[in-house]
Structures are given as structure tokens and as C-alpha cells.
Amino acid sequence: MTSKTAPRVAIIGGGFSGIAAAQRLMKYGIEDFTLFEQSDALGGTWLDNSYPGAEVDTPSHIYSFSFNRNDWTRTHCARDELLAYLQRTGDALNLGPRLRLRTGVRGAAWDAATHQWTLTLGSGETAVFDAVITAVGFLNVPNYPKWAEGTGFGGAIIHSARWPKGYDLTGKRVGVVGTGSTAVQIVTEAAKVADHLTVFQREPNWVLRKGNRPYTPAERQRYRSWLGHKLLRLKHFIAYERERAGGRNQMAGTPANTKLREGALAYMRHELARRAELIPMVTPDYPVWGKRPVYCDTYYSSIAQDNVTVAPQVVELTPDRVIDQNGTPHALDVLVLATGFKATDYLYTLSVQGTGGRELHDVWAGEPEALSGVAVPGFPNFFMMYGPNTNSGPLVYLLESHADFAARCIRDMARSGSDTVEADPAVTQRFNAWIQARLQKTVWATSNNYFRNASGKVVTQWPFTALTYRLSSKFWRKRGMKYSKNGAAS
């Protein structure tokens, strides 16, 4: 900022994170902001992911904003209901005048002379802001296996995050690559309508019962009230906190982790009783939570159907066949890639140049980290939603915590007459040493999962409870965010 005026803020991304950031800015009296969204509507990942069976894994009432309650129809809402909720929330916040839809952002560069950020938009246009909040998430760039690149395969190849509008699997010979949360939802729907379904599995996942069902009319009436809604959210929140307290569920060999394993095995054996030969194939050889568990009520019963085959991972595509690891050819009409995202490559599509022209990805050198996952030393007035080491649950509660961190910093910068706010390097180092010490004790550090980067460091996960994050982020923000005016502390 060039004077003691209200800061002008850019928000990049219009999903849960971007909407949360906008709400918090307005809560703290910051009205001059623009939300850039490359798609033609709000919704983020829930706009992009329209594959069959898409639904949430978290109970609906806590997978929603604290400031906008909703009359949910199911315990775990489907994608269309959630997307409509997000867009209604944008309307309720009157984000329309501040939205720039169909406008991607390619880069952001810090100007040390003016203490402002210049954004380069997808069109080549530039725009100047005092602060930037990135809200692009970390599950937004699809991951394509190498064997799927440049293939001459004659059938259709569809990544789950790029599902063609109206594409129907009915009567087709379908292959689904993957056994994660997205894959099992697609498998459930494909098994109902496909001529034959082949599930290609690189490594099995632990599957836990979700308990998804429609709410009764009486339940919906109760949860529509302010008190009923608050009590149900509190119930879900306490359950999440208990599950994560002390990190016992995420530590191999603990009674809590062993209990989870026994429950998962019992569920598996019950559901696959009629096809017991599948049990050895789908039983993981790592502890529960070594990878993100899959919550699904229908996966095992789906793969037990007569028109479903479970096969090893794909290794090659030919013009008319999909070849698995055993060398078995599969004739398919469509191959669905539920192969996830480039999860550890934060801000993968965005070039960010901070002080001295340093590019953020060069600074990280494959080891992304930040103070509370939100602010990086050397990148003033720049904040990340859902940044490194912030992935946990309940997710939306955490996203509101990230938004609060960023919005308070921007508000306090304006109140103090400062023109920059930046994370202190020494405090950031202490923060990351603290969380990495805990992460090294978890099963995440020793299992094959998307939480770890190429060196094996866990860069996505938050190892404590959500309440611990919210409280600790206030501590780290007060200790670690430094304000200055024209280069002098303020």
C-alpha cells in the first residue's frame, strides 16, 4: 500500500477456500477484493468433479461453513447438492460484483518499490493488489500415469476430474484405475450399468463403513433450527477431535490403530463373504491411515458382483487392449483414471516471485513449507489457503482457520499503517520442526501415499487436532508475522 488506506486484495480460486477467504475479509471490514476463478462459476473442485457417484466423505453438516447452515437431505451429501450450496453461499455473501469468472491467474510478482503484487492473468492482462490469497487447493491438478501419455489406445480415456458432461457408462466395458475415495464412488455406479467392469488396483486401501443415508423428515426439521444445527456440528466435531487426539489412530501398533484394523477387516469379510477369494487381494499390508482411508458403504458389495473383475495395476496400453501387471489383456471401451492429483506440488500452475525475484517453487526446491501452512518468508502480503501440512479434518473448519489467519494479518497491517506483513524465517523454521517431529512418528512417514514428497517428507498432513491448529495458528501468527512500513518495523 502506498498510504494508510484499505488494502486491495486478490483471491485466486472460487471453491470452498476462496469463499471462506472472502467471508473472513468482509468480517474484518476489508471490502476491496477481487475473486478470480478460471471456471464459469463458483464451486472449485466440486464444480470440476462431476463423475458418477461423487459425494462427500465427511458428514454434511460439518462439511459446510459455520456461517451458512443448510437443510441437508443426506448424512453425506452428493456433489450436486453441495455445489448448489456453495453457489448459494456466494450469492448470500454478494460476491457477484467482486467475481471475475473465466479468468485464470498465471503468475504473481512482488514489487519491492511499491510493496504491491502484480498478477498476470490468463489473458495476459495485469492487475495490481496490496495482498494476495491463493485458494487453489492442492487437489486440483490431475495426475496422469506415464503409461497413459501419448497412447494409441482406441477406447476413451477419462480422468475422473475431467468427466465429459453427460458421458454414460451404460452397456460399456469399463476399466477403473485406482481404489481411492474417488475410484470407489465411480466403481459403485459403474457396476450397476456397465456390461463389465474391471478395477485395476496398484495397492489396496483400507475401506471403512461410512453410514451414508437420507435424513428422515423429523431429522431435517430438527437440524434446520439454529440449536439443532449447532448441536449436530458439535457432535461431529467432537468425534473428529477424539479420533485425532494424541495421534493414536495414525501411529502403528497402538491399541487405537489396531482396533481400526480389526474393524476394517471384519467389515471386509462380511461384505465379501460370497467372493472370499477377493479378500487376500484387497487386504492392505500397511497400517490403517498409512494412506487416507476410504469411507464407503458400497465398494465391497460392488466388486462382489458377477460383472466385476479386480485386476493388478495397468502397465501398458495397446490400440485395442489394456495390459495389466500380470500380462493379461483387457478389452475395454473406456478407461477411467481415478489416479488422483499432483498433491505435493503446491501452487503447481502458478508462478510466484517474491522479494529479490525469487520464485516460490525454487525456494521450496520440492520441500514445500510455510508458517501454519499459510505464509512463507520472503513473500510479503502473500497467503495460502490449504497450504503445506494443513490437510486434516474436519476440512472446512480448518479452511476457515486459514482464512482467519490471512484476513487478520491483512487487517492488522492496515490498522498499524504498515505496508508489508511477512513470516519470520526463524519462527517458521521452529514451527515446521515442531510438526515434522510429530509427523515422523506417524504411519504416514513410512507408507506409500500422496502425503509424502519425492524425498519421503510428509508435506501435506497436519498431525494434531483441528482445534490445536486453530489455537496454535493464533500463537504462531502473533509470534511469527512481522509488520513493517517502508522496510522499517512497525
Side-chain angles (χ1 to χ4, degrees):
M1 295 179 291
T2 56
S3 62
K4 190 175 180 180
T5 58
R8 186 167 185 248
V9 184
I11 302 172
I12 305 172
F16 260 115
S17 294
I19 295 170
Q23 187 271 342
R24 275 304 195 275
L25 288 175
M26 290 189 287
K27 177 180 177 179
Y28 294 130
I30 302 166
E31 299 283 347
D32 189 2
F33 65 86
T34 302
L35 193 157
F36 295 93
E37 169 53 51
Q38 65 182 355
S39 300
D40 57 6
L42 292 175
T45 190
W46 291 103
L47 180 67
D48 295 339
N49 286 267
S50 59
Y51 60 83
E55 65 182 23
V56 303
D57 289 341
T58 303
S60 304
H61 284 84
I62 203 164
Y63 197 79
S64 49
F65 294 116
S66 64
F67 54 84
N68 188 25
R69 68 179 187 265
N70 188 58
D71 177 19
W72 298 106
T73 64
R74 300 185 64 85
T75 59
H76 300 74
C77 64
R79 175 257 185 185
D80 288 352
E81 185 176 10
L82 182 61
L83 180 60
Y85 165 76
L86 288 171
Q87 294 176 350
R88 284 199 307 273
T89 302
D91 292 340
L93 294 172
N94 193 31
L95 295 184
R98 300 176 173 91
L99 281 178
R100 288 197 60 178
L101 299 174
R102 295 175 290 279
T103 306
V105 178
R106 294 204 311 253
W110 175 251
D111 187 327
T114 64
H115 295 171
Q116 291 178 308
W117 286 94
T118 298
L119 301 190
T120 301
L121 310 183
S123 63
E125 175 190 354
T126 60
V128 177
F129 293 89
D130 299 305
V132 174
I133 301 174
T134 64
V136 297
F138 79 113
L139 300 178
N140 64 333
V141 179
N143 180 53
Y144 289 87
K146 289 184 178 180
W147 49 257
E149 299 173 0
T151 176
F153 179 61
I157 299 178
I158 301 172
H159 195 283
S160 58
R162 299 293 183 265
W163 198 268
K165 186 176 182 179
Y167 191 86
D168 189 1
L169 299 175
T170 300
K172 292 183 171 64
R173 298 167 299 175
V174 179
V176 175
V177 180
T179 54
S181 298
T182 295
V184 301
Q185 293 175 357
I186 297 172
V187 165
T188 295
E189 297 306 309
K192 298 174 184 177
V193 299
D195 175 66
H196 190 273
L197 170 64
T198 304
V199 180
F200 294 99
Q201 171 185 273
R202 182 178 64 178
E203 191 174 25
N205 279 323
W206 288 107
V207 180
L208 308 178
R209 192 186 299 274
K210 180 155 60 174
N212 190 11
R213 63 173 178 82
Y215 281 121
T216 66
E219 286 174 321
R220 289 181 64 180
Q221 182 177 6
R222 181 161 68 248
Y223 301 146
R224 276 195 293 266
S225 73
W226 179 89
L227 180 60
H229 177 265
K230 290 292 184 184
L231 289 176
L232 184 60
R233 278 180 63 90
L234 179 62
K235 175 185 175 181
H236 290 317
F237 184 80
I238 290 172
Y240 268 92
E241 292 294 280
R242 285 178 173 172
E243 182 181 275
R244 287 160 174 77
R248 293 181 294 272
N249 283 350
Q250 291 80 39
M251 294 181 183
T254 61
N257 190 270
T258 300
K259 183 178 180 180
L260 283 174
R261 175 185 172 86
E262 291 172 350
L265 285 172
Y267 174 49
M268 178 195 304
R269 291 164 181 157
H270 177 269
E271 293 294 301
L272 292 176
R274 66 178 294 270
R275 288 196 65 183
E277 76 278 4
L278 291 177
I279 292 176
M281 295 177 63
V282 300
T283 302
D285 61 2
Y286 55 86
V288 179
W289 275 106
K291 291 186 176 185
R292 183 181 184 275
V294 171
Y295 295 89
C296 189
D297 301 321
T298 53
Y299 177 63
Y300 288 140
S301 59
S302 296
I303 64 173
Q305 293 181 198
D306 293 334
N307 68 328
V308 180
T309 299
V310 179
Q313 65 179 328
V314 176
V315 295
E316 182 185 0
L317 300 183
T318 70
D320 60 353
R321 294 289 188 273
V322 175
I323 312 300
D324 69 28
Q325 193 173 36
N326 291 340
T328 304
H330 302 265
L332 301 174
D333 300 309
V334 56
L335 187 63
V336 178
L337 305 180
T339 48
F341 302 87
K342 297 182 182 294
T344 62
D345 295 334
Y346 286 88
L347 306 185
Y348 183 80
T349 61
L350 184 66
S351 173
V352 183
Q353 295 180 350
T355 55
R358 297 182 306 161
E359 212 283 329
L360 180 58
H361 298 94
D362 293 337
V363 171
W364 278 341
E367 304 275 332
E369 61 180 31
L371 181 63
S372 292
V374 178
V376 181
F379 294 82
N381 305 2
F382 182 85
F383 307 92
M384 292 177 291
M385 300 283 295
Y386 211 2
N389 292 116
T390 61
N391 186 37
S392 187
L395 177 59
V396 181
Y397 177 90
L398 287 162
L399 294 179
E400 291 189 34
S401 301
H402 309 158
D404 199 73
F405 186 115
R408 282 178 182 267
C409 285
I410 297 169
R411 179 201 63 183
D412 292 348
M413 177 177 68
R415 281 182 173 179
S416 66
S418 305
D419 53 20
T420 63
V421 55
E422 181 180 350
D424 179 87
V427 177
T428 302
Q429 186 178 24
R430 289 200 296 273
F431 166 79
N432 283 283
W434 171 55
I435 60 171
Q436 287 299 324
R438 169 57 71 91
L439 286 165
Q440 288 305 306
K441 299 177 182 179
T442 68
V443 294
W444 301 325
T446 57
S447 302
N448 178 29
N449 52 53
Y450 69 75
F451 309 147
R452 301 164 66 203
N453 66 359
S455 71
K457 179 181 177 181
V458 179
V459 298
T460 65
Q461 300 305 103
W462 172 250
F464 304 104
T465 68
L467 182 59
T468 302
Y469 178 87
R470 179 162 291 189
L471 296 176
S472 71
S473 67
K474 294 179 180 179
F475 169 85
W476 293 109
R477 175 174 55 81
K478 292 177 180 178
R479 297 294 189 278
M481 298 303 293
K482 306 302 181 184
Y483 299 82
S484 62
K485 172 75 172 178
N486 297 324
S490 60

